[in-house]
Amino acid sequence: MKTENQKAWFFVLPVLLLVAFNALIPIMTVVNYSVQETFGDNLFFWEGLGWFEQILRSDRFHAALGRQFLFTFLILIIEVPLGIIIALSMPKKGIWVPVCLVTMALPMLIPWNVVGAMWNIFTLPDIGLLGYFINNTLGIEYNMTRSPVAAWVTIITMDVWHWTSLVVLLSYAGLVSIPDAYYQAAKIDGASPWKVFRYIQLPKMKTVLTIAILLRFMDSFNIYTEPFVLTGGGPGNSTTLLSIDLVKIALGQFDLGPAAAMSLIYFAITLLVSWLFYTLMTKDDAK
Amino acid sequence: MSKRSIIPILYILFLMLPIYWLVAMSFKTTNEILSGFSLFPQTFTLENYKVIFTDPSWYWGYINSIIYVSLNTVISITVALPAAYAFSRYSFLGDKTLFFWLLTNRMAPAAVFALPFFQLYSSVGLFDTHLAVALAHCLFNIPLAVWILEGFMGGVPKELDETAYVDGYSFPRFFVTIFLPTIKAGVGVAAFFCFMFSWVELLLAKTLTAVAAKPIAATMTKTASSAGYELGLLAAAGTLTIIPGAIVIYFVRNYIAKGFALGRV
């Protein structure tokens, strides 16, 4: 039982002040822009909810949002099962455990634009290892600056490369917390490997998988740097995800009003979906 | 070696290939890279690394990054420790709401904040300082640090605190001499994740700096565009950005998996 103590607020105060400084002031700036029109010279005019209406009705926004959902959907459907499979087949003890953990965590520690640049030189059709292999050894035409399909395959593969390890590490943490006695009991009962997975391992991984899915959702939905460096949103607009489109409007065209309105809609969607995920995945615990 | 270990082996191979390619390229001359495909460097050269270690505009990028990342880690952990203690030990008005609100800050797309951050930090006179980037990264690192530390502290029985008070310890003395050593694994894990997310983030770091505090990752994009296609140099710079992460990960290898597992959602 926790003690009730209102003085605990003093402990939380520094965190509150620092995060509020970083979160509230910028978000108020964005709200402020989203309801105004400017022609430069720091002159602002009241615009009301016009920008929100314009964004919500624009085909460009719908297309970018659609691509964003497709991207995140593909990421989750590939990385989560793959991560679980790899975690299940990892050794539980011995010298190979640290080797696996360190090598697997490595991609997550590389700066995001380096990840993009690295995959760029890896997939160049004439001098990149993967690009050369696919084009010349397999004889399949592969050039992501020309083909939208190739560009999509590349950004998905890059993200799988970059972030599957997060799911692996978390699932693995859940798996090693299962006492041996559980497995022995399952063996005595003659449970099949599938039954062991379904009734012992999966329930034990539930908490960590919830965290993994939530983090993967948030981060893949907000992804910007890696695909931007890799494809620049091209060819055409085929890989222009929501955040890339947002930066184009905000810093490229300097349309502050529409960009601010779009930011708020974007943030609201992320919050809403995260909340849905969270509620759905923790629903059973409440009972 | 069992049959199923083929899966992690294949996966690690897949992870290592692009890294191998980056490292191999960093040892090639630009001529060799552009002249055609070669699996190994034909004329092994350290020229690319020499450029980076002798040109201040390059190596200062690394120093800048390391300064603001360390600064951020220290700030995040220092303020997160008491807050995590409060969340794990006491209930107070609005505690659950506050905890959830903190976590929502991880969901904000950095792209949303780039421009307002620039204006905010310019108006308080911190633009182009290491402190600006360190403070800005607190937005997503403090919530994460509180979350992880709270998980670890929750695993420490309350009796520890009570016994210490009965023995006449003051709160600060108890916290530093007894409590901190008990959760040092948690502090390590939290520091690791703060380091990681601050090290890999570029958008905010780039927006908030111009010259004096410019991170290495931003130096790379600038040089790539101004000097044409110096792939070898780019690859060497990229290779060097992997090393700090690799060192840090080696030290916390036994705790990384635990870090998230103990946090609560």
Side-chain angles (χ1 to χ4, degrees):
Chain A
M1 241 343 251
K2 290 179 185 178
T3 333
E4 177 144 352
N5 184 352
Q6 302 301 342
K7 281 186 197 133
W9 266 99
F10 288 107
F11 284 181
V12 190
L13 206 60
V15 162
L16 192 66
L17 289 178
L18 260 176
V19 178
F21 176 74
N22 274 320
L24 294 185
I25 300 175
I27 209 93
M28 288 325 290
T29 319
V30 175
V31 171
N32 193 21
Y33 281 141
S34 73
V35 291
Q36 301 189 75
E37 163 73 300
T38 177
F39 302 105
D41 294 336
N42 269 327
L43 284 173
F44 286 93
F45 305 92
W46 175 251
E47 180 64 35
L49 295 177
W51 296 131
F52 289 92
E53 220 183 311
Q54 187 194 318
I55 292 286
L56 285 173
R57 289 209 176 135
S58 88
D59 292 336
R60 180 175 167 178
F61 178 73
H62 293 161
L65 186 64
R67 284 190 289 265
Q68 187 65 65
F69 270 117
L70 177 65
F71 178 78
T72 301
F73 174 74
L74 288 174
I75 290 304
L76 287 176
I77 210 147
I78 296 172
E79 288 181 11
V80 174
L82 187 64
I84 295 176
I85 291 171
I86 294 167
L88 284 173
S89 50
M90 263 169 72
K92 294 275 176 317
K93 40 179 100 74
I95 51 157
W96 291 107
V97 174
V99 175
C100 281
L101 291 178
V102 172
T103 47
M104 285 181 187
L106 202 55
M108 298 195 287
L109 278 144
I110 302 173
W112 294 344
N113 67 323
V114 178
V115 171
M118 180 191 254
W119 273 82
N120 193 8
I121 56 176
F122 188 54
T123 52
L124 285 173
D126 45 349
I127 53 171
L129 184 59
L130 184 70
Y132 186 87
F133 178 74
I134 294 179
N135 277 299
N136 297 2
T137 315
L138 296 182
I140 300 168
E141 164 104 23
Y142 165 79
N143 187 339
M144 61 165 189
T145 52
R146 287 206 207 110
S147 141
V149 176
W152 266 87
V153 171
T154 316
I155 58 169
I156 297 284
T157 315
M158 174 180 67
D159 201 83
V160 168
W161 176 86
H162 194 182
W163 286 113
T164 303
S165 296
L166 185 77
V167 184
V168 176
L169 292 183
L170 285 169
S171 311
Y172 184 73
L175 280 176
V176 291
S177 72
I178 303 176
D180 272 342
Y182 283 47
Y183 292 113
Q184 282 153 12
K187 210 171 178 184
I188 293 167
D189 290 348
S192 64
W194 166 252
K195 286 252 161 85
V196 172
F197 174 70
R198 176 66 190 81
Y199 294 105
I200 298 177
Q201 293 169 322
L202 199 59
K204 274 286 177 182
M205 284 195 286
K206 202 180 153 216
T207 322
V208 279
L209 275 180
T210 309
I211 305 176
I213 293 172
L214 267 177
L215 280 176
R216 277 321 296 135
F217 167 73
M218 291 177 207
D219 291 345
S220 68
F221 204 73
N222 292 339
I223 193 168
Y224 170 76
T225 313
E226 304 98 304
F228 179 75
V229 173
L230 187 62
T231 66
N237 273 330
S238 59
T239 53
T240 304
L241 302 173
L242 208 48
S243 54
I244 298 179
D245 204 29
L246 177 64
V247 174
K248 266 188 197 164
I249 296 176
L251 301 177
Q253 302 161 222
F254 229 73
D255 285 335
L256 293 184
M262 189 172 157
S263 300
L264 291 176
I265 298 169
Y266 191 171
F267 192 21
I269 296 174
T270 319
L271 271 177
L272 186 71
V273 181
S274 301
W275 181 79
L276 278 177
F277 265 126
Y278 178 73
T279 331
L280 282 178
M281 282 186 293
T282 51
K283 193 176 57 178
D284 303 337
D285 300 343
K287 280 178 202 159
Chain B
M1 191 118 116
S2 65
K3 224 193 287 169
R4 59 158 53 163
S5 57
I6 192 77
I7 298 173
I9 291 172
L10 280 180
Y11 178 61
I12 290 174
L13 203 67
F14 164 65
L15 294 185
M16 289 305 126
L17 274 178
I19 298 180
Y20 164 73
W21 197 240
L22 186 80
V23 176
M25 216 166 228
S26 71
F27 291 117
K28 293 177 180 176
T29 59
T30 304
N31 266 344
E32 189 193 331
I33 294 171
L34 294 180
S35 66
F37 181 84
S38 57
L39 202 49
F40 305 102
Q42 305 294 312
T43 42
F44 187 87
T45 173
L46 288 173
E47 202 51 46
N48 298 317
Y49 289 95
K50 220 165 111 191
V51 172
I52 292 174
F53 284 116
T54 50
D55 181 350
S57 70
W58 273 110
Y59 64 74
W60 264 103
Y62 285 99
I63 302 174
N64 287 334
S65 291
I66 289 172
I67 294 176
Y68 72 69
V69 169
S70 318
L71 208 57
N72 169 269
T73 307
V74 172
I75 298 174
S76 302
I77 300 293
T78 315
V79 300
L81 273 172
Y85 184 80
F87 281 121
S88 85
R89 290 293 190 263
Y90 304 118
S91 70
F92 47 94
L93 198 66
D95 51 354
K96 295 210 172 62
T97 322
L98 187 64
F99 199 79
F100 185 75
W101 173 74
L102 278 178
L103 286 182
T104 61
N105 287 299
R106 258 202 72 84
M107 298 172 202
V112 170
F113 283 102
L115 190 67
F117 262 64
F118 173 75
Q119 294 176 323
L120 175 64
Y121 281 94
S122 304
S123 66
V124 293
L126 282 175
F127 178 71
D128 203 18
T129 59
H130 300 108
L131 189 62
V133 186
L135 286 177
H137 284 177
C138 283
L139 175 70
F140 44 83
N141 272 350
I142 288 183
L144 193 70
V146 172
W147 185 19
I148 294 174
L149 287 172
E150 199 266 352
F152 274 87
M153 289 177 182
V156 179
K158 262 197 98 173
E159 284 70 34
L160 184 79
D161 310 30
E162 281 150 12
T163 323
Y165 297 141
V166 171
D167 287 350
Y169 276 82
S170 68
F171 176 74
R173 191 158 152 244
F174 154 72
F175 198 82
V176 176
T177 59
I178 299 180
F179 198 66
L180 266 186
T182 320
I183 53 148
K184 64 172 192 277
V187 177
V189 173
F192 165 73
F193 279 105
C194 289
F195 176 92
M196 164 173 154
F197 282 109
S198 183
W199 179 255
V200 297
E201 204 279 339
L202 174 73
L203 194 65
L204 290 180
K206 202 170 125 185
T207 314
L208 291 175
T209 55
V211 185
K214 191 159 82 171
I216 178 59
T219 318
M220 284 177 65
T221 50
K222 279 260 163 62
T223 314
S225 51
S226 66
Y229 234 37
E230 290 216 46
L231 281 178
L233 200 57
L234 202 70
T239 305
L240 288 174
T241 63
I242 303 179
I243 293 171
I247 295 171
V248 172
I249 214 167
Y250 180 79
F251 283 115
V252 291
R253 64 188 180 282
N254 293 325
Y255 303 112
I256 30 174
K258 245 189 195 163
F260 274 129
L262 288 175
R264 75 168 186 199
V265 194

